[in-house]
Amino acid sequence: MKNTHYFTLQFHGFTAGNNPKSSYLRLITPQHTFYTDKSFFDENVNFDLLKPGSQIFMGTHRLNDGSYWIDWITDGTVTLNTAGARPALPLPLIRLLTSVTVFFVSASMMFTSGYLMMLLFFVVTMMLLTYGLEDLHAVCLRTSPRVRELLKRLEQAKRGDTAFCKDIGCSLLTLPFPDAMPKGFSDFGPQLSEIKHQVTAVRGGEWTSYISDNSGIALVYVCQGRPLSLNWRMGDPTWRSQMNKILPFFYKVHAPFIGVGDHLLTIFNHHSNQAVGIYNYTDGSCYITNGNWYRSDQSVAAFYHSVLFIFAPCMLVIALLFGAGFALSAGEFHWNWHVIGRAIETLISVIFMCCGALLGASDLAIQLTRLCSKRVSYWLRLRKQLEKLRKERQRSGYVQEIW
């Protein structure tokens, strides 16, 4: 698999991120950065058995910013692998197929078949909300080529065959960084300042905003005696608890990582001390916080793909299923393929017209804010400078956007 990568290196220890007792770990080499979270692993206390100076072998997959997520580690004696990678399939698959089928049948018939179908609809809806994401995740794990490849290579490494692992030297605890402030990181606006210094303390914690039912995560770190904060939204706590069950085999980005001793360039609001953009010289990671109207070409492209290739097809399938269900429940369904074809054609036209209007209005609003808002223009300028800095450090121009 092109997105799975296997490495061997001389191990000199992990760095804990986001607070000194965190299970979120980082390992760096001169050319590569690796992240993992030992809370996902079977018998994670065995991380302490990995001895500095030993040779370790790792199965990883590549993230969007060019770093890697560690899915398993072995040194020939100690083996650490992600727990729950091969869940039992029959129950989740049966429960998922049954729930989805009953959901559409009951939804299409509940207005013509009385209270029994309405009750069944609400019961099945609650079941989908409770188990749906977990069951879908189990099916994805059992059918994912990436997971199969990683587990196959792990079994190979357990047998002592590690020829497939690329030797990348030794891990480091810190990397050199330039003394001078990079050019172009000044005069972004009257409220923004920049600071480049070593992190002397870091603390992670949860916060609850003043908006009802909205919660998130905050990182507070100290540079040059100034406490700075990086905040990002994680949605409703119930939804977040479900998302935390998703194993990292499918991660494309990693959560922000800041460790004590990291050298950071931070652009922050000097009134609130909230970070707007961060470049971490130690591991090469780069973060920028988004506002409601701060949209890069990268996030706009992701929005277009989501609407056209996920939202529109799903709406079409749902409309067809509900239409067929209502027709069946009313006893008016006939296999007239000409009529069915015209109905599908009409549905496709209506759905894609609505999607086009949505995308057009969103794009117009984004372009107007880019032209009229000084705050958005500062943000776009900052993003370009962060991209340039990453490229100067021989990395891709990918900047991780924080919401």
Side-chain angles (χ1 to χ4, degrees), residues 177-201:
F177 67 99
D179 292 327
M181 177 72 75
K183 294 181 180 179
F185 285 93
S186 58
D187 301 326
F188 279 108
Q191 294 183 327
L192 298 183
S193 303
E194 67 283 333
I195 189 171
K196 187 181 79 68
H197 210 270
Q198 184 174 356
V199 175
T200 55

Short mmCIF file of all heavy atoms in Angstrom, two decimals, residues 177-201:
data_model
loop_
_atom_site.label_atom_id
_atom_site.label_comp_id
_atom_site.label_asym_id
_atom_site.label_seq_id
_atom_site.Cartn_x
_atom_site.Cartn_y
_atom_site.Cartn_z
N PHE A 177 17.75 25.06 15.26
CA PHE A 177 16.79 26.04 14.76
C PHE A 177 17.51 27.36 14.53
O PHE A 177 18.52 27.66 15.17
CB PHE A 177 15.64 26.22 15.75
CG PHE A 177 16.05 26.86 17.05
CD1 PHE A 177 15.85 28.22 17.26
CD2 PHE A 177 16.66 26.11 18.05
CE1 PHE A 177 16.24 28.81 18.45
CE2 PHE A 177 17.04 26.70 19.25
CZ PHE A 177 16.83 28.04 19.45
N PRO A 178 17.03 28.18 13.61
CA PRO A 178 17.69 29.46 13.31
C PRO A 178 17.48 30.46 14.44
O PRO A 178 16.43 30.50 15.07
CB PRO A 178 17.00 29.91 12.02
CG PRO A 178 15.68 29.26 12.03
CD PRO A 178 15.88 27.94 12.72
N ASP A 179 18.50 31.29 14.68
CA ASP A 179 18.41 32.29 15.74
C ASP A 179 17.57 33.50 15.32
O ASP A 179 16.88 34.09 16.13
CB ASP A 179 19.82 32.76 16.14
CG ASP A 179 20.60 31.66 16.84
OD1 ASP A 179 19.96 30.85 17.54
OD2 ASP A 179 21.82 31.60 16.66
N ALA A 180 17.66 33.86 14.04
CA ALA A 180 17.00 35.08 13.59
C ALA A 180 15.50 34.84 13.34
O ALA A 180 15.10 33.74 12.97
CB ALA A 180 17.66 35.58 12.31
N MET A 181 14.72 35.88 13.57
CA MET A 181 13.30 35.81 13.24
C MET A 181 13.15 35.76 11.72
O MET A 181 13.78 36.54 11.01
CB MET A 181 12.58 37.04 13.78
CG MET A 181 11.10 37.11 13.44
SD MET A 181 10.11 35.92 14.35
CE MET A 181 10.07 36.70 15.96
N PRO A 182 12.35 34.82 11.17
CA PRO A 182 12.17 34.76 9.71
C PRO A 182 11.59 36.06 9.17
O PRO A 182 10.82 36.75 9.85
CB PRO A 182 11.19 33.60 9.52
CG PRO A 182 11.27 32.81 10.77
CD PRO A 182 11.61 33.77 11.86
N LYS A 183 11.95 36.40 7.95
CA LYS A 183 11.44 37.62 7.33
C LYS A 183 9.96 37.45 6.97
O LYS A 183 9.49 36.37 6.68
CB LYS A 183 12.24 37.91 6.06
CG LYS A 183 13.70 38.25 6.32
CD LYS A 183 14.42 38.55 5.01
CE LYS A 183 15.90 38.89 5.27
NZ LYS A 183 16.62 39.15 4.00
N GLY A 184 9.26 38.56 7.00
CA GLY A 184 7.86 38.57 6.57
C GLY A 184 6.86 38.31 7.68
O GLY A 184 5.65 38.28 7.41
N PHE A 185 7.31 38.13 8.91
CA PHE A 185 6.38 37.85 10.00
C PHE A 185 6.20 39.07 10.91
O PHE A 185 6.20 38.96 12.13
CB PHE A 185 6.85 36.65 10.82
CG PHE A 185 6.62 35.34 10.13
CD1 PHE A 185 7.62 34.78 9.35
CD2 PHE A 185 5.41 34.68 10.22
CE1 PHE A 185 7.42 33.58 8.70
CE2 PHE A 185 5.20 33.47 9.57
CZ PHE A 185 6.21 32.93 8.80
N SER A 186 6.04 40.18 10.32
CA SER A 186 5.79 41.40 11.11
C SER A 186 4.77 42.26 10.37
O SER A 186 4.53 42.09 9.18
CB SER A 186 7.08 42.19 11.34
OG SER A 186 7.66 42.54 10.10
N ASP A 187 4.17 43.20 11.09
CA ASP A 187 3.21 44.14 10.52
C ASP A 187 2.01 43.45 9.89
O ASP A 187 1.52 43.84 8.84
CB ASP A 187 3.89 45.05 9.47
CG ASP A 187 5.03 45.84 10.05
OD1 ASP A 187 4.94 46.22 11.23
OD2 ASP A 187 6.03 46.06 9.35
N PHE A 188 1.52 42.40 10.53
CA PHE A 188 0.32 41.74 10.04
C PHE A 188 -0.93 42.53 10.39
O PHE A 188 -1.95 42.42 9.74
CB PHE A 188 0.20 40.33 10.63
CG PHE A 188 1.05 39.33 9.90
CD1 PHE A 188 2.18 38.81 10.47
CD2 PHE A 188 0.71 38.92 8.62
CE1 PHE A 188 2.97 37.90 9.80
CE2 PHE A 188 1.49 38.00 7.94
CZ PHE A 188 2.61 37.49 8.53
N GLY A 189 -0.89 43.28 11.41
CA GLY A 189 -2.05 44.05 11.82
C GLY A 189 -1.82 44.66 13.19
O GLY A 189 -0.91 44.25 13.92
N PRO A 190 -2.64 45.60 13.55
CA PRO A 190 -2.43 46.29 14.83
C PRO A 190 -2.60 45.39 16.05
O PRO A 190 -2.07 45.69 17.11
CB PRO A 190 -3.50 47.39 14.81
CG PRO A 190 -4.54 46.91 13.85
CD PRO A 190 -3.79 46.12 12.82
N GLN A 191 -3.33 44.27 15.91
CA GLN A 191 -3.58 43.41 17.07
C GLN A 191 -2.65 42.21 17.14
O GLN A 191 -2.65 41.48 18.13
CB GLN A 191 -5.03 42.90 17.05
CG GLN A 191 -6.06 44.01 17.23
CD GLN A 191 -7.46 43.47 17.28
OE1 GLN A 191 -7.77 42.48 16.64
NE2 GLN A 191 -8.32 44.11 18.05
N LEU A 192 -1.87 41.98 16.09
CA LEU A 192 -1.05 40.77 16.03
C LEU A 192 0.41 41.07 16.33
O LEU A 192 0.95 42.09 15.93
CB LEU A 192 -1.15 40.11 14.66
CG LEU A 192 -2.54 39.62 14.24
CD1 LEU A 192 -2.47 38.93 12.89
CD2 LEU A 192 -3.12 38.68 15.27
N SER A 193 1.04 40.16 17.06
CA SER A 193 2.48 40.23 17.35
C SER A 193 3.08 38.87 17.08
O SER A 193 2.37 37.89 16.84
CB SER A 193 2.72 40.64 18.80
OG SER A 193 2.10 41.87 19.10
N GLU A 194 4.41 38.78 17.11
CA GLU A 194 5.06 37.51 16.91
C GLU A 194 6.12 37.30 17.97
O GLU A 194 6.65 38.25 18.56
CB GLU A 194 5.68 37.39 15.51
CG GLU A 194 6.85 38.33 15.23
CD GLU A 194 6.42 39.76 14.96
OE1 GLU A 194 5.29 39.96 14.49
OE2 GLU A 194 7.22 40.66 15.23
N ILE A 195 6.39 36.03 18.26
CA ILE A 195 7.39 35.68 19.26
C ILE A 195 8.05 34.38 18.82
O ILE A 195 7.38 33.49 18.27
CB ILE A 195 6.75 35.53 20.66
CG1 ILE A 195 7.82 35.37 21.74
CG2 ILE A 195 5.79 34.36 20.72
CD1 ILE A 195 7.25 35.44 23.15
N LYS A 196 9.34 34.26 18.99
CA LYS A 196 10.07 33.04 18.65
C LYS A 196 10.95 32.69 19.83
O LYS A 196 11.92 33.39 20.12
CB LYS A 196 10.91 33.21 17.38
CG LYS A 196 11.55 31.90 16.91
CD LYS A 196 12.39 32.11 15.67
CE LYS A 196 13.74 32.70 16.03
NZ LYS A 196 14.58 31.77 16.79
N HIS A 197 10.59 31.63 20.54
CA HIS A 197 11.36 31.28 21.72
C HIS A 197 11.06 29.85 22.10
O HIS A 197 10.18 29.20 21.54
CB HIS A 197 11.03 32.23 22.89
CG HIS A 197 12.17 32.43 23.83
ND1 HIS A 197 12.38 31.64 24.93
CD2 HIS A 197 13.18 33.34 23.82
CE1 HIS A 197 13.46 32.05 25.57
NE2 HIS A 197 13.97 33.08 24.92
N GLN A 198 11.81 29.35 23.09
CA GLN A 198 11.64 27.99 23.56
C GLN A 198 10.46 27.89 24.53
O GLN A 198 10.25 28.77 25.36
CB GLN A 198 12.91 27.50 24.25
CG GLN A 198 12.88 26.05 24.70
CD GLN A 198 14.22 25.60 25.25
OE1 GLN A 198 15.18 26.34 25.23
NE2 GLN A 198 14.26 24.39 25.76
N VAL A 199 9.69 26.80 24.41
CA VAL A 199 8.57 26.55 25.32
C VAL A 199 9.13 26.11 26.66
O VAL A 199 9.89 25.15 26.75
CB VAL A 199 7.64 25.46 24.75
CG1 VAL A 199 6.54 25.13 25.75
CG2 VAL A 199 7.03 25.93 23.43
N THR A 200 8.76 26.81 27.71
CA THR A 200 9.25 26.47 29.04
C THR A 200 8.22 25.72 29.87
O THR A 200 8.56 25.09 30.87
CB THR A 200 9.67 27.74 29.81
OG1 THR A 200 8.56 28.66 29.84
CG2 THR A 200 10.85 28.40 29.13
N ALA A 201 6.95 25.78 29.48
CA ALA A 201 5.89 25.04 30.18
C ALA A 201 4.74 24.86 29.22
O ALA A 201 4.50 25.69 28.34
CB ALA A 201 5.44 25.78 31.43
#
